[in-house]
Amino acid sequence: MNSYLIRMTVPWLCPFLLVMSIWILLRGHNAPGGGFIGGLVAAAAIAFWCFARGVEDAKRWMRVSPLHLMIAGVSTALISGLMPMFAGKPMLTALWHKVEVPLLGKLPLGTPILFDIGVFFAVVGVTTSILFSLEEFELWNRSGPS
Amino acid sequence: MEPFWAVVVGIMFGAGIYLMLRRNLSKLILGLILISNAANMLIMTSAGLTRDAPPMIAAGKETLTGTYADPLPQALVLTAIVIGFGVLAYFLTLLQGAYKSNKSENLDRLGGGAS
Amino acid sequence: MTTIIESEPWLATVALISTIIILVSMGMTVVHLLRGPGLSDRVAALDLTALLLLGAIVLYSLKTGNPMFLDVALVLALLGFLSTIGFARYLEERNKP
Amino acid sequence: MNLLVLPVMIPLITALLLLFCQKNRRLAQIVSTIGAFSLPAVGLLILSRVHEEGIQVIHMGSWQAPFGITLVADYLSALMLSVCGLVGAAVAVFALKEDMNLSREGVFFPLLHALLMGVNGSFLAGDMFNLYVWFEVMLISSFVLLSLGKTNAQLLASIKYVALNLVSSAIFLTGLGLLYGKTGTLNMADLAVQLQNTESTVLLTSTALFFLVAFSIKAACFPFFFWLPPAYPAAPAPIAAIFSGLLTKVGVYALFRTFTLIFNQDTAIFQPILYWMAILTMVTGVLGAVAQMDIKKILSYHIISQIGYMIIGLALATKLALAGAIFYLVHHIVVKTNLFLLAGAIEKSGGTNDLKKLGGYYKGYPLLAVMFLVPALSLAGIPPLSGFFSKLFLIRASLENGDMFMAFMALAVGVFTLISMTKIWMEAFWKKGVGENERRPAKIKRLDLTVTMPIAVLAVVTVVIGFSAGHVFHFAELAAEQLIAPQMYIDAVMGGNAR
Amino acid sequence: MALPLIVVVGLLLSCLAPTLGRLLGQKVAPLLALFPAAVCLWLCATVLPNLDTPLLFEAPWIPSLNMSYAFHLDGLSALFMLFISAIGTFIFMYAGGYLGNHPQLGRLFAFLLLFFSAMLGLVIADDLILLFIFWELTSISSFFLIGFKHESEEARRSALQALLVTGAGGLALLAGLILLGDIGGTYRVSELLLRGDTFIRHPLSDAALLLILAGAFTKSAQFPFHFWLPGAMVAPTPISAFLHSATMVKAGIFLLARLHPLLSDHLWWTPLVAGAGAITMTYGALRSPWERDLKTILAYATVSVLGMLTMLLGLGVDKAIPAFVAVILAHAFYKASLFMVAGILDHQCGTRNIDELRGLRSALPITSVAAGLAAVSMMGIPPLFGFIAKEKLIEAALKAEWYGMLMIAAVFVSAACLTVSAWQVGFRPFRGTPKPTPKQAKEGGPLLWAGPLFFAILPVPLGLLVSFWSGPFFSAAVGAIQGQNLEMTVKLWYGFNLALLMSFLILGAGVGLTLKRDKITAYLKRTVYAKWPAAFHGAAVFQFGLKQAFALANAQTRILFQDALRHNLTFIMVVFLGLGFTILKITNVAWPFNPVPLDNPPLFELMIGLVIVAAIAAAIRAQSMVVAAACLGVVGFAVSCFFMIHGAIDLAITQLVIETLTVLLFVLVVHRFPDFNTKESELRRRFDALLAAASGAFMTLLIWKADLIQLQDPISGYFAENSMTKGYGQNVVNVILVDFRALDTLGEIVVLLIAALGVYSLTRQKLKKAKKATEGGAA
C-alpha cells in the first residue's frame, strides 16, 4: 500500500495483536476465545501486515512457512489426541495434570489445552497460507500477461 | 422470537437460491455464502433461542445454572462456519483459475462437457 | 445481579440517546452504502457501519451488564479496520491506469 | 477398543508424514504404500472382531454415548472399511508412477489419504454431526484431487462438482439443525430411540427429506446426479478410480444407515420415493452410458445406473434386498475402481479414452484384454462373476416381493449395461488399431508393473467374490440382519444407559 | 464327485489353453481333444451301462437362498453329454487342422473349452441358478467365438447381435427360473420336477412359463428370434459346427426337455411350444435350400431342425418324445459332419458358394464320401439312423391332436425341403465336371477329415444295430423327459405302415424339388426375396431397434444432463421442493400456526433482522461486485450480532473474523470478473423468484414448526453439568470443541489443512504453468 501511515503503523500493531491472540487462545477454556478465535485473530494480524506491506514482507516477518505451521498444528492436535491411547484409554480422552505455576497458583494442564494450541497453529497456518497463495496469484495476475 | 427469525432465515435461503440460479460465477458464490449463513442461523434458531445468557460457568461455580443458551448448537455452528470458510476459500481459488483460463464467468459457458 | 444501568439511572438516559444516535447514523450509513455514488463512498460507509455496530455492541453490553460482549466489540474494531484496508487496496489498484 | 480409531487415524498420520517428507519422493512413496496397505488389514481385523464379538463401539474421549462422539462398526461398516481399504491400496499403488504428473507440490498422496480418512470416518461415524465432518473431509479432499492435473476441463467440471456438493452440504447441515432442534441429540442410536418412541412424526418426515436429498446428491441418485458425469471423466485415472469406488458409495452407505436406523418409521412415504428414485436412477444412468463414446464417460454414467440398483435394496427393505444391495455395494466398489484403473491404463498406453481413436488391444495387448474382461463382464452381470450375483439377489428380492416391474427394469437395464460394456470391448479391443497401431499392433505401449498389478489383483478379487459368492453373501446377510433390526445397534452404542 | 470335477477341469484347461497354444502351436488341438474324448469314454464306460441310477453330487452354496452346488446326471443329461463330448473331440481336432498355426489358436481353444465345460455343466446342473450360470457362460463364450475374426466389422456385429438376443433372453430366463424356484419352494431341479401340480395352480405360473420360453426360444433360434443364427456363421467353421449347429443352440431345447415334466401340463405349453416350433421348422426349411452359401444353407437347416425339436417337445403325445431323442441324435451327427465338410470345402477351395464348387469328388475323395453319407442320413434314407429319426418324427406328427393336419403338412414340407438342402451340401459340390476354384483343391490332413468321416459313418451302425443299443438309452432319456420310468426300444423296421409311406412320399417330393431347384431359386429371387417385407428380416428389425435405443439414449442425455449448472440446480430444487410440499401435504401440517407471543420488545433483534433483509435485497439488486460484497459484509456482521445476543459469543467473534476474511478473499478473487450483470430473460427471472420464494417459505415453515416440537431435553444439559467438573473449563462451548466433541474439531482442522493445501497447489500449479509459458515464449 502506498499509505505511509499504514505502513508504519502495522509493525507496531501486529505484534500487539499476536500477543492478544495468544491471550485469547490461552484463556479460551474459561472465557470467550480458544484456538479458533485466537488463531483467526493472529491470522488477521498477519493479514494486516500482508495488506499493508506486501506478501513477501509478511512472509519474511512470519519467518515460519504457513504450510509448516499448519502441518505442525494438526500434528500437535493429533498427538494430544493420541496420547491417551498409550495410557490405554480411548483416543482423545482428556488427561489432566495440576501444575503449580508460580504466580497463578495451581492450574490444570491437560491434553485439551495442547489440542487447542494445535488448533490455533492450524488455523493460523491455514488462513495465512490461503491468503498468501491468493495474494501471490493476484500479484502475478496484475503484473503478468493476461 | 423464533418465528421472526424463521422468516428471516427463510428469506436468506430464498435469496441464496435466487442468486445461485443466476448466470454469474460471482453470484453463485454470493448465493452459497448466504445459504451457509442461513443454515448456521437455522441451527441456532431451530434449537431454540435464549437471549443474553452465554453458556459460561461463572467463576467459582461448578455447573451452569438458570437459563443458558444451548452450547451444543454453538459448537456445531462454529465447526460448520470454519469448515465452510475452508471450502469456500478453495472454491474461490478454483473459480479464479477457471476464469483465468476461460475469460468468462458465465456459468452457462462453463459446462464441463458432460455429454 | 443488578447491571450498572440499573444502579446508575442517568446512564440509562445516556444509553438511550446514544442508541438513537447510532440508529439514525446507521440508517444514513446504509443509504450511503447503497446509493454510493462512488466506490470509495461505499467503502467508507462500510467502515462506518462497522464502527456504529461497535458502538451498538458496547451499548448492548452496558444494557445487559455482561462484559463478555466487549470481546466481540474488540475483535470488530480490529476487523473493521482490516476490511477497510482490504477494500482500499482494491480501490487503489483500480484507480491505477 | 482403540482399533476402531485406526481406519481414521492411520490415513491422517500417513498424510501428515507425507507432508513432512514432501521433498523425498522415494520415502513418500514408501510411507504412502505402507499406510494404504494397513487399511485393508485393519478393516479385516475389525470385520473379524465384529464377527466374533458383535458390534464394536468406541466412545471418543471416554464420553458416554449420547454425549460424546461414538465410532461404531457393525458388519456393514466393517465390510465397507475392508473393501474401501483394498481399493484404496490398489489405487495408491497404481498412482506410484504418476504422482509427479498429478502435482509437483507432492500433495497427491496426502490428499489421497485424507480422502480415505474421510471415507472411513463416514463408515464409522455413530453421530450425525460427526458424519457431516467426515463428509466434509472427504469432499474437500475430493475437490482438491479433482482439480489436480492440468486440464481446463477439469477446472470446469470441478466447479459444477463443488457447487452441487456444497448445496448438498448445506442441505445436510440444515437437516441436522432441524433434527437437533426437535430431538436435542445427535447420536444416531439415541436419535433412533427418540424417534421410535415418538408419535409426532409429522415434521420429522420433512426433516428426513433433507437427509434423503443431501445423501442422494452425494450418492448421485436421480435427479441429483448432475455433478457426476462431467467430474469423473475429467479427473486423472487414479483419482477417477478412487472417486468411482468410494465417493458415491459413502452417500449410499449414509442412506442405508439413516433410513434403516433413524428414519425407519415413515416407510409409507419414503418407500415409494426411494422406489422411483431407484428405477429412474438405473434407467437414466444406463441410457446416458449408452450414448457415450468415451470409456471414462461410459463408466461414469454406469456408476449412476448402478447406484440405482443399490437403492433397490433400500426401497424394498427386506432382508434379502438389503443383503443384495450390500453385496452389490461390495462388488461395485471393486469392479468400478478396477474399470477406471483400466481406463487409465488404456489412456496411458493409447493416449486417449476416445473409443473412436482406440483399437487393436485384443491383438496387441492380450494381457490388458483379459484384465478388462473380468471387471467388464462382471459389471454387465455375466455369471459366475460378482456382478451376476449382486443382480441375482436383487432380482430375487424384488420377485419375492411380487414386484415384477422392478425385476423387469433391473433386467432391462442389465441388457443395456451389456451393450455398453461390449461397446468398449469391441471398439477398443476387437477393432483394428487406429493409426500407428494398425500396422504394428504388437507395439502398443506396455505398462509398468505398478499399473497392471493393482488391476490384476482387483480382477482376481472380482473372480474370488464371484466364486465364493456364498461366503460374501453370508456376510452381506449378517449386515442386512443388523440393519433390519436396529435394536442391536442401539444396544451396542447406548450400552443400556438410554435416557 | 466326478460331475463337478469335469466342469472344473474344463475351466482350468480353458485358462491354460492360451499358454499351451503359444507353446505348442497346432499340436495343442489333438492334445486338448483328449479331454472331451476322456469325458466321452468315461460316459460310455461307466454311465451308460447304469443309466437307471442317476449320478448325484451336492455341496452347500448359499443355504439361506436354497442354492447349492447340485449336479445330477440322468438319461437326458447323458444323451446330451454324449453327443457334446463326442462332437467336441472331433471338433477340437478339426479346429487344429482348420486354423493351422493361427496366432490366436490358443485363445480359440480357451473359449472352446470354456464353452464345452459350460455346456456339460448346463446339462448336469441340478440347481436352477447353477444351470443359469452355465447357460450364460455358453452365451458369452459364443460371443467371443463368433467374434473370432474380430477385425472384420461383420463379425463384431454378428457377435453382438447373438449376444444381445441370447443375453436378453437369458435375463428373461433368469427371472423365469427365480419365479419357478419361488413357486416350487426349491431351486433343485430334480425336486422341482415332482411339483408340477403346485406349479400349474400358482397365479405366477403364466409369467414363469413365458419368461422361460423367452429364454429357451432366443437361445434355440426359434422364430422370430432366429436371425442371429445365420449371422453367427461368420465364425470359423469349427465354431459354427460345434456351437451353432450341434450343441449350444440345443441348450434351449435341453431346457425345455428338462423342465418338460413340470411345464408341459400348462395350458399354454402346447400352443406356444408346438406352434413356435412348427413355424420355425417350416420357415427354416423353406429358406434353406435356395441359399448359395454352404454355411447359410446349413444354418437355416439347423433352424428348421431346432424348430422340429421344439415342436416335438410341445406336441404332448407319447410318440413325440422318442422322436425327439432320435432326431436330436441323428441331427447332431449328420449336421456336425456336414458342417465340417462345408468347412473343408471352404478351407481347401477358398469359397463356400455352391455355384463355384463343382466336381470335387476326385480332388477330395474322403470328404466326398463323408458328405454323401451324412447327406443320406439327413435325407432319412434307410438303413441310416436318420431314417429312424424321420420315421419317428412322422409318427409323432400323425398322432398330434393339436391342429393335426397342419402339423403333418408342416413336417412334410420341411422334410422335403431339407432333402434338397442335403443334396445341395452333400452331393452337388462333388458331382459333374471339375471347375477351377480360388484355391487349388486337394485333400487336407486327417485332422480335417477324421471328424466328418466318423460322424458320417456312425449313423450306419447306429441305424443297423438300433434295436441292440437303443433300449436302455432311449428308456432313460425319454423317461427323464416325461418324468416317469418306462421301458422302450426302437427298431429299424416296423413293417409297412403310414409313416413309412409318408417317409417315401417326402423323399419323392424332395427329389422332385431337387430336380427343379434352380428354377425355384430363380423364381424366388424374382418374387419373394425381392419383395420380402423388411419386418421379416429379424436382423433388420433388431438393428433398427438398437438404433432407436441409441437415439433415445442420446436424446435423454441431451435433455437431462444439461451442461449449465443452473439448469441442474433448478431441477434439483424443483424436485426437492416438490417432495417437500408433498410430504407436508400428506402429513397434514396444521394450519394456521399458533401465534407466538412477542415477549420483551425485541428492538435490537428486529433491527438486526431488518438489516439482514435490507442488505440481502441490496445484494440482489446490486449492480457491481463491490457493492454486493459490501452488502455481504453487512449481512455477516448482522449475523454475528444475532449470534452474540443469543449467547453465542465465541460464535459471534468467529463469524466476524471469518466473514471479513471471506469478503476480502471474495473481493480479491472476483474483482477481475467482468460483466456482473449478464442479461437474463424476464420469464426465467420470474421462475427463479418463484422457486426461491417457495424454498424460503418451505424453510420458514419448517423452522417455525420445529420450534413447537421438542421431544426431549437436549443433551447439552450434560455438558452444562460436567464441563467444569470433568472438563475443567468455564467456557462450555470451548470445552465441547476441544474435549466433548474433539473428534469433530480434529476433522475440521483437517478440512482446513486440505483446503489450504488445495489453494496452495492450485495457485502454484497455475503460476508454474504460466512461468513455463513465458519462458517458453522467451526461448
Side-chain angles (χ1 to χ4, degrees), chain D residues 187-240:
Chain D
N187 187 295
M188 292 184 192
D190 197 24
L191 280 170
V193 174
Q194 301 306 328
L195 299 191
Q196 269 170 13
N197 298 337
T198 176
E199 281 157 25
S200 134
T201 57
V202 180
L203 280 165
L204 290 169
T205 313
S206 50
T207 308
L209 179 69
F210 281 76
F211 292 96
L212 179 72
V213 172
F215 296 150
S216 298
I217 293 179
K218 314 260 185 221
C221 291
F222 181 90
F224 309 111
F225 45 33
F226 301 108
W227 56 269
L228 197 150
Y232 285 16
I239 295 171

Coordinates of all heavy atoms in Angstrom, one line a residue, chain D residues 187-240:
Chain D
N187 N -26.5 -38.2 18.5 CA -26.1 -39.6 18.3 C -27.1 -40.4 17.6 O -28.3 -40.4 17.9 CB -25.9 -40.2 19.7 CG -25.3 -41.5 19.7 OD1 -25.9 -42.5 19.2 ND2 -24.0 -41.6 20.2
M188 N -26.6 -41.2 16.6 CA -27.6 -41.9 15.7 C -28.4 -42.9 16.5 O -29.7 -43.0 16.3 CB -26.9 -42.7 14.6 CG -26.2 -41.8 13.6 SD -25.5 -42.8 12.3 CE -24.5 -41.6 11.5
A189 N -27.8 -43.6 17.4 CA -28.6 -44.6 18.2 C -29.6 -43.9 19.1 O -30.7 -44.3 19.2 CB -27.6 -45.4 19.0
D190 N -29.1 -42.8 19.7 CA -30.1 -42.1 20.5 C -31.2 -41.5 19.7 O -32.4 -41.5 20.1 CB -29.3 -40.9 21.2 CG -30.0 -40.4 22.4 OD1 -30.9 -41.1 23.0 OD2 -29.8 -39.2 22.8
L191 N -30.9 -41.0 18.5 CA -31.9 -40.5 17.6 C -32.9 -41.6 17.3 O -34.1 -41.4 17.4 CB -31.3 -40.0 16.3 CG -30.6 -38.6 16.3 CD1 -29.9 -38.4 15.1 CD2 -31.7 -37.6 16.5
A192 N -32.4 -42.8 17.1 CA -33.3 -43.9 16.8 C -34.2 -44.1 17.9 O -35.4 -44.3 17.7 CB -32.5 -45.1 16.4
V193 N -33.7 -44.1 19.1 CA -34.5 -44.3 20.3 C -35.6 -43.3 20.4 O -36.8 -43.6 20.6 CB -33.6 -44.4 21.6 CG1 -34.5 -44.5 22.8 CG2 -32.6 -45.5 21.5
Q194 N -35.1 -42.0 20.3 CA -36.1 -40.9 20.4 C -37.2 -41.0 19.4 O -38.4 -40.8 19.7 CB -35.4 -39.6 20.2 CG -34.3 -39.3 21.2 CD -34.7 -39.4 22.6 OE1 -35.9 -39.1 22.9 NE2 -33.8 -39.9 23.5
L195 N -36.8 -41.3 18.2 CA -37.8 -41.3 17.1 C -38.7 -42.5 17.2 O -39.9 -42.5 16.7 CB -37.2 -41.2 15.7 CG -36.4 -39.9 15.5 CD1 -36.0 -39.7 14.1 CD2 -37.1 -38.7 16.0
Q196 N -38.2 -43.6 17.8 CA -39.0 -44.8 17.9 C -40.2 -44.5 18.9 O -41.3 -44.9 18.7 CB -38.2 -46.0 18.5 CG -37.7 -46.8 17.4 CD -36.7 -47.8 18.0 OE1 -36.6 -48.0 19.2 NE2 -35.9 -48.4 17.1
N197 N -39.8 -43.7 19.9 CA -40.8 -43.5 21.0 C -41.8 -42.4 20.7 O -42.7 -42.2 21.4 CB -40.1 -43.2 22.3 CG -39.2 -44.3 22.7 OD1 -39.4 -45.5 22.3 ND2 -38.2 -44.1 23.5
T198 N -41.5 -41.7 19.6 CA -42.4 -40.5 19.4 C -43.6 -40.9 18.6 O -43.5 -41.8 17.7 CB -41.6 -39.4 18.8 OG1 -42.5 -38.3 18.5 CG2 -41.0 -39.8 17.5
E199 N -44.6 -40.1 18.8 CA -45.8 -40.3 17.9 C -45.9 -39.2 16.9 O -46.5 -39.3 15.9 CB -47.1 -40.3 18.8 CG -47.3 -41.6 19.5 CD -48.2 -41.5 20.7 OE1 -49.0 -40.6 20.7 OE2 -48.1 -42.3 21.6
S200 N -45.3 -38.1 17.2 CA -45.4 -37.0 16.3 C -44.3 -37.0 15.3 O -43.2 -36.4 15.4 CB -45.3 -35.7 17.1 OG -44.4 -34.8 16.6
T201 N -44.5 -37.8 14.2 CA -43.5 -37.9 13.2 C -43.8 -36.9 12.1 O -43.1 -36.9 11.1 CB -43.5 -39.3 12.6 OG1 -44.8 -39.6 12.1 CG2 -43.1 -40.3 13.6
V202 N -44.8 -36.1 12.3 CA -45.2 -35.3 11.2 C -44.1 -34.5 10.5 O -43.8 -34.6 9.3 CB -46.3 -34.3 11.7 CG1 -46.8 -33.4 10.6 CG2 -47.4 -35.0 12.3
L203 N -43.4 -33.7 11.4 CA -42.4 -32.9 10.8 C -41.0 -33.6 10.7 O -40.1 -33.2 10.0 CB -42.2 -31.6 11.6 CG -43.3 -30.7 11.2 CD1 -43.5 -29.6 12.2 CD2 -43.0 -30.1 9.8
L204 N -40.9 -34.7 11.4 CA -39.7 -35.5 11.3 C -39.5 -36.0 9.9 O -38.5 -36.1 9.3 CB -39.6 -36.6 12.3 CG -39.5 -36.0 13.7 CD1 -39.7 -37.1 14.7 CD2 -38.1 -35.5 13.9
T205 N -40.7 -36.3 9.3 CA -40.6 -36.8 7.9 C -40.0 -35.8 7.0 O -39.2 -36.1 6.1 CB -42.1 -37.1 7.4 OG1 -42.7 -37.8 8.5 CG2 -42.0 -37.9 6.2
S206 N -40.5 -34.5 7.2 CA -39.9 -33.5 6.3 C -38.4 -33.3 6.6 O -37.6 -32.9 5.7 CB -40.7 -32.2 6.4 OG -40.8 -31.9 7.8
T207 N -38.0 -33.5 7.8 CA -36.6 -33.4 8.2 C -35.9 -34.5 7.5 O -34.8 -34.3 6.9 CB -36.4 -33.5 9.7 OG1 -37.2 -32.5 10.3 CG2 -35.0 -33.2 10.0
A208 N -36.5 -35.7 7.5 CA -35.8 -36.8 6.9 C -35.6 -36.6 5.4 O -34.6 -37.0 4.8 CB -36.7 -38.1 7.0
L209 N -36.5 -35.8 4.8 CA -36.3 -35.4 3.4 C -35.0 -34.7 3.1 O -34.3 -35.0 2.1 CB -37.5 -34.6 2.9 CG -37.4 -34.1 1.5 CD1 -37.6 -35.3 0.6 CD2 -38.4 -33.0 1.2
F210 N -34.6 -33.9 4.1 CA -33.3 -33.2 3.9 C -32.2 -34.2 3.8 O -31.3 -34.0 3.0 CB -33.1 -32.2 5.1 CG -33.8 -30.9 5.0 CD1 -35.2 -30.9 5.3 CD2 -33.3 -29.8 4.5 CE1 -35.9 -29.8 5.2 CE2 -34.0 -28.6 4.4 CZ -35.3 -28.6 4.7
F211 N -32.2 -35.2 4.7 CA -31.1 -36.1 4.6 C -31.2 -37.0 3.4 O -30.2 -37.3 2.8 CB -31.2 -37.0 5.9 CG -30.9 -36.3 7.1 CD1 -31.9 -35.8 7.9 CD2 -29.6 -36.1 7.5 CE1 -31.6 -35.1 9.0 CE2 -29.2 -35.3 8.6 CZ -30.3 -34.8 9.4
L212 N -32.4 -37.3 3.0 CA -32.6 -38.1 1.7 C -31.9 -37.3 0.6 O -31.1 -37.9 -0.2 CB -34.0 -38.3 1.5 CG -34.3 -39.1 0.2 CD1 -33.9 -40.5 0.4 CD2 -35.8 -39.0 -0.2
V213 N -32.3 -36.0 0.5 CA -31.7 -35.2 -0.7 C -30.2 -35.1 -0.5 O -29.5 -35.2 -1.5 CB -32.5 -33.9 -0.7 CG1 -31.8 -33.0 -1.8 CG2 -33.9 -34.1 -1.1
A214 N -29.8 -34.7 0.7 CA -28.3 -34.5 0.8 C -27.6 -35.7 0.5 O -26.6 -35.6 -0.3 CB -28.1 -34.1 2.3
F215 N -28.0 -36.9 1.0 CA -27.2 -38.1 0.7 C -27.4 -38.5 -0.7 O -26.5 -39.1 -1.3 CB -27.7 -39.2 1.7 CG -27.3 -38.9 3.1 CD1 -28.1 -39.4 4.1 CD2 -26.3 -38.1 3.4 CE1 -27.8 -39.2 5.4 CE2 -26.0 -37.8 4.7 CZ -26.8 -38.4 5.8
S216 N -28.6 -38.2 -1.3 CA -28.8 -38.6 -2.7 C -27.9 -37.8 -3.6 O -27.5 -38.3 -4.6 CB -30.2 -38.4 -3.1 OG -31.1 -39.2 -2.3
I217 N -27.7 -36.6 -3.2 CA -26.7 -35.8 -4.1 C -25.3 -36.5 -4.0 O -24.7 -36.7 -5.0 CB -26.7 -34.3 -3.6 CG1 -28.0 -33.7 -3.9 CG2 -25.6 -33.6 -4.3 CD1 -28.1 -32.2 -3.4
K218 N -24.9 -36.8 -2.8 CA -23.6 -37.5 -2.7 C -23.6 -38.8 -3.4 O -22.6 -39.2 -4.0 CB -23.3 -37.8 -1.2 CG -23.5 -36.6 -0.3 CD -22.2 -35.9 0.0 CE -22.5 -34.8 1.0 NZ -21.9 -33.6 0.8
A219 N -24.7 -39.5 -3.3 CA -24.8 -40.8 -4.0 C -25.1 -40.8 -5.4 O -25.0 -41.8 -6.1 CB -25.8 -41.7 -3.3
A220 N -25.4 -39.6 -5.9 CA -25.7 -39.4 -7.4 C -26.9 -40.2 -7.8 O -26.9 -40.9 -8.8 CB -24.5 -39.8 -8.2
C221 N -28.0 -40.0 -7.0 CA -29.3 -40.6 -7.4 C -30.0 -39.7 -8.3 O -29.8 -38.5 -8.3 CB -30.1 -40.9 -6.2 SG -29.5 -42.2 -5.2
F222 N -31.0 -40.2 -9.0 CA -31.9 -39.4 -9.8 C -32.7 -38.5 -8.8 O -33.2 -39.0 -7.8 CB -32.9 -40.2 -10.6 CG -33.8 -39.5 -11.4 CD1 -33.5 -39.1 -12.7 CD2 -35.0 -39.1 -10.9 CE1 -34.4 -38.4 -13.5 CE2 -35.9 -38.3 -11.6 CZ -35.6 -38.0 -12.9
P223 N -32.9 -37.3 -9.0 CA -32.3 -36.4 -10.1 C -31.2 -35.5 -9.6 O -31.2 -34.4 -9.9 CB -33.6 -35.6 -10.4 CG -34.2 -35.4 -9.1 CD -33.8 -36.5 -8.2
F224 N -30.4 -36.1 -8.7 CA -29.4 -35.3 -8.1 C -28.0 -35.6 -8.5 O -27.0 -35.4 -7.8 CB -29.5 -35.5 -6.5 CG -30.9 -35.3 -6.0 CD1 -31.6 -36.4 -5.5 CD2 -31.5 -34.1 -6.0 CE1 -32.9 -36.3 -5.0 CE2 -32.8 -33.9 -5.5 CZ -33.5 -35.0 -5.0
F225 N -27.9 -36.2 -9.7 CA -26.6 -36.8 -10.2 C -25.8 -35.9 -11.1 O -24.8 -36.3 -11.6 CB -26.9 -38.1 -10.8 CG -28.0 -38.1 -11.8 CD1 -28.3 -37.0 -12.6 CD2 -28.8 -39.2 -11.9 CE1 -29.3 -37.0 -13.4 CE2 -29.9 -39.2 -12.8 CZ -30.1 -38.1 -13.6
F226 N -26.2 -34.7 -11.3 CA -25.6 -33.9 -12.4 C -24.1 -33.7 -12.3 O -23.5 -33.4 -13.2 CB -26.3 -32.6 -12.5 CG -27.8 -32.7 -12.8 CD1 -28.7 -32.4 -11.8 CD2 -28.2 -33.2 -14.0 CE1 -30.1 -32.6 -12.1 CE2 -29.6 -33.4 -14.3 CZ -30.5 -33.1 -13.3
W227 N -23.7 -33.7 -11.0 CA -22.2 -33.4 -10.9 C -21.4 -34.5 -11.4 O -20.2 -34.3 -11.7 CB -21.9 -33.1 -9.4 CG -22.3 -34.3 -8.5 CD1 -23.5 -34.4 -7.8 CD2 -21.5 -35.4 -8.1 NE1 -23.5 -35.6 -7.1 CE2 -22.3 -36.2 -7.2 CE3 -20.2 -35.8 -8.4 CZ2 -21.8 -37.3 -6.7 CZ3 -19.8 -37.0 -7.9 CH2 -20.6 -37.7 -7.0
L228 N -21.9 -35.7 -11.4 CA -21.0 -36.9 -11.6 C -20.5 -37.0 -13.1 O -19.3 -37.1 -13.3 CB -21.7 -38.2 -11.2 CG -20.8 -39.4 -11.0 CD1 -21.4 -40.3 -9.9 CD2 -20.6 -40.2 -12.2
P229 N -21.4 -37.0 -14.1 CA -20.8 -37.2 -15.4 C -19.7 -36.3 -15.9 O -18.8 -36.7 -16.5 CB -22.1 -37.1 -16.3 CG -23.2 -37.4 -15.4 CD -22.8 -36.8 -14.1
P230 N -19.8 -35.0 -15.6 CA -18.6 -34.2 -16.0 C -17.4 -34.4 -15.1 O -16.3 -34.3 -15.6 CB -19.1 -32.8 -15.9 CG -20.3 -32.8 -15.0 CD -20.9 -34.1 -15.1
A231 N -17.6 -34.7 -13.9 CA -16.5 -34.7 -13.0 C -15.5 -35.9 -13.2 O -14.3 -35.7 -13.3 CB -17.0 -34.7 -11.5
Y232 N -16.1 -37.1 -13.2 CA -15.2 -38.2 -13.2 C -14.3 -38.3 -14.5 O -13.2 -38.6 -14.4 CB -16.0 -39.5 -13.0 CG -16.5 -39.7 -11.6 CD1 -16.5 -38.6 -10.7 CD2 -16.9 -40.9 -11.1 CE1 -16.9 -38.8 -9.4 CE2 -17.3 -41.1 -9.8 CZ -17.3 -40.0 -8.9 OH -17.8 -40.2 -7.7
P233 N -14.9 -38.2 -15.6 CA -14.1 -38.3 -16.8 C -13.0 -37.3 -16.9 O -11.9 -37.6 -17.5 CB -15.1 -38.2 -18.0 CG -16.4 -38.4 -17.4 CD -16.3 -37.9 -16.0
A234 N -13.2 -36.2 -16.3 CA -12.2 -35.1 -16.4 C -11.0 -35.4 -15.5 O -9.9 -35.0 -15.7 CB -12.8 -33.8 -16.0
A235 N -11.2 -36.2 -14.4 CA -10.1 -36.4 -13.5 C -9.1 -37.4 -14.0 O -9.4 -38.3 -14.8 CB -10.7 -37.0 -12.2
P236 N -7.9 -37.3 -13.6 CA -6.8 -38.2 -14.0 C -7.2 -39.6 -13.5 O -7.9 -39.8 -12.5 CB -5.6 -37.7 -13.3 CG -5.8 -36.3 -12.9 CD -7.3 -36.2 -12.8
A237 N -6.7 -40.7 -14.1 CA -7.1 -42.0 -13.9 C -7.2 -42.4 -12.4 O -8.2 -42.9 -11.9 CB -6.3 -43.0 -14.7
P238 N -6.1 -42.3 -11.7 CA -6.2 -42.8 -10.3 C -7.2 -42.1 -9.5 O -7.9 -42.7 -8.6 CB -4.8 -42.6 -9.7 CG -4.0 -41.8 -10.7 CD -4.8 -41.8 -12.0
I239 N -7.4 -40.8 -9.8 CA -8.3 -40.1 -9.0 C -9.7 -40.5 -9.4 O -10.6 -40.7 -8.5 CB -8.1 -38.6 -9.2 CG1 -6.7 -38.2 -8.7 CG2 -9.2 -37.7 -8.6 CD1 -6.3 -36.8 -9.0
A240 N -10.0 -40.6 -10.7 CA -11.3 -41.0 -11.1 C -11.6 -42.4 -10.5 O -12.7 -42.7 -10.1 CB -11.3 -41.1 -12.6

